[in-house]
Amino acid sequence: STGIVAATPFPAEYDREYVAPVSLGTPAQELNLIFDTGSSDLWVFSTSMPAAQVAGQKLYNPSGSSTSAVLWGHTWSIQYGDGSRSSGTVVNELVTIGGISYASQALEIANGVSAQFSQDPASSGLLGLGFSILNTVIPTSQKTWFDNVLPTLAAPVFTVDLKRAAPGTYTFGAIDASSYAGKIEYTPIDNSNGFWRLQASGYQVGTSPFQPTTIDAIADTGTTLLMLPAAIVKAYYAQVPGSQLHASYGAYTFPCSAKLPSFTFGIGRYRGVIPGAFVSYGRIDATTCYGGIQDQGNLPFSIFGDILMKAQVVVFDAGRTRIGFAAK
Ligand SMILES: CC[C@H](C)[C@H](NC(=O)[C@H](C)NC(=O)[C@@H](CCSC)NC[C@@H](N)Cc1ccccc1)C(=O)O
């Protein structure tokens, strides 16, 4: 089988996150979730949550579904790199995405979430697309929806085609040849710690010469920005007049009037180009804009988040433990 769903950016003008529809239970309850290659829990806002933690999100109601079955004695609790967290209990439930169903998917029901999630009305939870070793359910960890449907897919892949300020797609089981230009360049993935972790071959700022250097990064659709080593970030903003490491934000900002250079990353000999305009994440006041490229700080790896993804078609190939990039 193959399936395709729309990936819609929120809020429209910032592309802070992308959500896609997931159908839960019988009769179907459709929730918009963040598809997240940087984690491996499928969790949803639910009727078990305190009202004070809900602000507009659609809630999954297990007692409204004839196919939900409690996974007794199982709980989950997850924490993310930005300090956000959620936790709760587990049911087995029918989960359908783009017409592809799995009848007894471990669906993690939140009974508590941190403020970052409560304050985000656009998302009713996350669908983890990382490797199942990262799943937090105890006492027995559970498989991701993608892992569960993998044997039924026409090809052991999913393709991510996010767009700037416009709906893109997640495609399961296929690669749409009409969605990209040229050929797809693949590189091996190290999935030993559950991430889609790759080594890029270098970078280039605007039309400056390409700098060969290994960049150890995870491909994370659930991270908004492109997080890189300090030296690379410094080299980028050195070419943006008026940019600064803003003391109060602890992040690079620049005058919204600035003309931003493109950012190119290497995958082997392939060169992926992020247009300068994509590197403006959004306006923070009348004249100041927030950089889409920021310092990875003390993280042990870089994060290829949405700022990079939206400039490419990215193939997550679980069959051959590799990831592919193509221009579009
Ligand atoms: C601090 C927690 C560390 C990062 C680690 N957690 C992780 O690595 C988790 C699975 N993944 C994540 O925290 C990151 C990848 C590692 S960044 C250090 N991706 C998922 C994140 N973007 C999901 C998200 C989406 C929207 C809003 C908020 C959060 C752990 O549990 O040890």
Side-chain angles (χ1 to χ4, degrees), residues 161-286:
D161 183 2
L162 302 181
K163 296 194 192 304
R164 183 180 183 228
T169 53
Y170 283 96
T171 304
F172 295 94
I175 301 167
D176 174 0
S178 68
S179 65
Y180 63 88
K183 61 186 274 307
I184 300 170
E185 183 75 23
Y186 289 95
T187 194
I189 280 291
D190 164 14
N191 60 3
S192 53
N193 49 18
F195 297 122
W196 291 85
R197 189 162 180 177
L198 65 119
Q199 295 198 325
S201 55
Y203 72 97
Q204 170 183 340
V205 179
T207 54
S208 310
F210 182 77
Q211 304 295 319
T213 177
T214 297
I215 303 173
D216 175 6
I218 64 169
D220 184 4
T221 54
T223 289
T224 313
L225 305 183
L226 173 52
M227 316 294 283
L228 293 169
I232 297 180
V233 179
K234 205 169 154 69
Y236 180 81
Y237 288 108
Q239 296 202 24
V240 181
S243 64
Q244 59 171 321
L245 180 43
H246 202 289
S248 51
Y249 295 106
Y252 282 88
T253 62
F254 56 88
C256 295
S257 55
K259 185 154 176 16
L260 293 168
S262 61
F263 184 85
T264 296
F265 64 99
I267 298 289
R269 301 173 55 75
Y270 169 77
R271 299 289 178 259
V273 182
I274 303 168
F278 283 28
V279 183
S280 173
Y281 172 55
R283 188 176 289 276
I284 40 181
D285 68 29

Side-chain angles (χ1 to χ4, degrees), residues 36 38-39 79-82 84 117 126 195 218 220 222-223 299 303:
D36 180 28
S39 66
Q79 194 186 33
Y80 299 106
D82 64 352
S84 58
F117 291 115
L126 266 67
F195 297 122
I218 64 169
D220 184 4
T223 289
L299 285 178
I303 308 183

Side-chain angles (χ1 to χ4, degrees), residues 36-211:
D36 180 28
T37 58
S39 66
S40 305
D41 283 49
L42 166 49
W43 69 265
V44 290
F45 274 63
S46 80
T47 46
S48 319
M49 288 172 58
Q53 292 184 7
V54 179
Q57 297 84 358
K58 194 166 173 191
L59 307 178
Y60 166 70
N61 176 10
S63 43
S65 167
S66 60
T67 43
S68 97
V70 173
L71 194 56
W72 295 107
H74 286 71
T75 58
W76 61 280
S77 174
I78 194 162
Q79 194 186 33
Y80 299 106
D82 64 352
S84 58
R85 55 181 44 204
S86 54
S87 59
T89 59
V90 191
V91 296
N92 275 326
E93 180 60 283
L94 169 66
V95 175
T96 303
I97 301 175
I100 304 172
S101 289
Y102 193 75
S104 58
Q105 173 63 40
L107 176 61
E108 301 169 35
I109 294 175
N111 47 35
V113 303
S114 63
Q116 295 98 324
F117 291 115
S118 296
Q119 289 156 9
D120 175 7
S123 155
S124 291
L126 266 67
L127 179 106
L129 292 170
F131 292 87
S132 295
I133 183 178
L134 264 181
N135 181 264
T136 73
V137 175
I138 52 169
T140 37
S141 89
Q142 302 295 307
K143 291 170 79 173
T144 66
W145 178 85
F146 178 64
D147 260 357
N148 282 324
V149 303
L150 201 47
T152 66
L153 295 181
V157 305
F158 62 91
T159 307
V160 178
D161 183 2
L162 302 181
K163 296 194 192 304
R164 183 180 183 228
T169 53
Y170 283 96
T171 304
F172 295 94
I175 301 167
D176 174 0
S178 68
S179 65
Y180 63 88
K183 61 186 274 307
I184 300 170
E185 183 75 23
Y186 289 95
T187 194
I189 280 291
D190 164 14
N191 60 3
S192 53
N193 49 18
F195 297 122
W196 291 85
R197 189 162 180 177
L198 65 119
Q199 295 198 325
S201 55
Y203 72 97
Q204 170 183 340
V205 179
T207 54
S208 310
F210 182 77
Q211 304 295 319

